Amino acid sequence: MRIANRVRKGGHDIPPEDVKRRFAGRWDALKRVFPYCDEVIFYDNENGFVKVAEYKNSRLLFTGDYRPEWLDDFLKQNN
C-alpha cells in the first residue's frame, strides 16, 4: 500500500519480491547496526509520528503505554 501510494505520487516502484526479502531480514539488519549506535529511537508512523521506544545503554526503553505490533514482533525475535 505504501509503495503504491508513493508510485502514484511519482516515486519509484519496488518489485514485491524485493519488498518481501527486505522485510524478512529487517530485525537481523537492525541488530547488526545496534553496536555502532549510542542511541536508536523507534517511531511509529501508523497514526502520526509517535516515539514508542529507544535503545540506549544496551537496553530497550519504552515511551508511554502505546506499543505497536511491529515492536512486539521485534521483541519476540530478540528474546
Side-chain angles (χ1 to χ4, degrees), residues 25-63:
R26 70 197 183 282
W27 300 136
D28 289 333
L30 182 60
K31 286 189 300 188
R32 285 194 305 271
V33 170
F34 274 174
Y36 300 100
C37 302
D38 293 327
E39 180 179 56
V40 177
I41 301 176
F42 294 88
Y43 291 92
D44 182 61
N45 64 354
E46 187 69 26
N47 296 308
F49 200 61
V50 179
K51 180 179 174 183
V52 292
E54 63 182 295
Y55 178 82
K56 194 172 186 179
N57 299 323
S58 300
R59 294 182 54 211
L60 188 63
L61 309 168
F62 300 104
T63 304

Side-chain angles (χ1 to χ4, degrees), residues 9-29:
K9 295 177 182 178
H12 68 282
D13 197 8
I14 301 173
E17 56 275 3
D18 287 351
V19 174
K20 291 175 185 174
R21 178 181 43 81
R22 292 174 187 173
F23 188 78
R26 70 197 183 282
W27 300 136
D28 289 333

Side-chain angles (χ1 to χ4, degrees), residues 43-46 50 52-53 65-73:
Y43 291 92
D44 182 61
N45 64 354
E46 187 69 26
V50 179
V52 292
D65 296 327
Y66 173 64
R67 190 179 306 174
E69 186 177 323
W70 58 262
L71 190 54
D72 285 333
D73 290 344

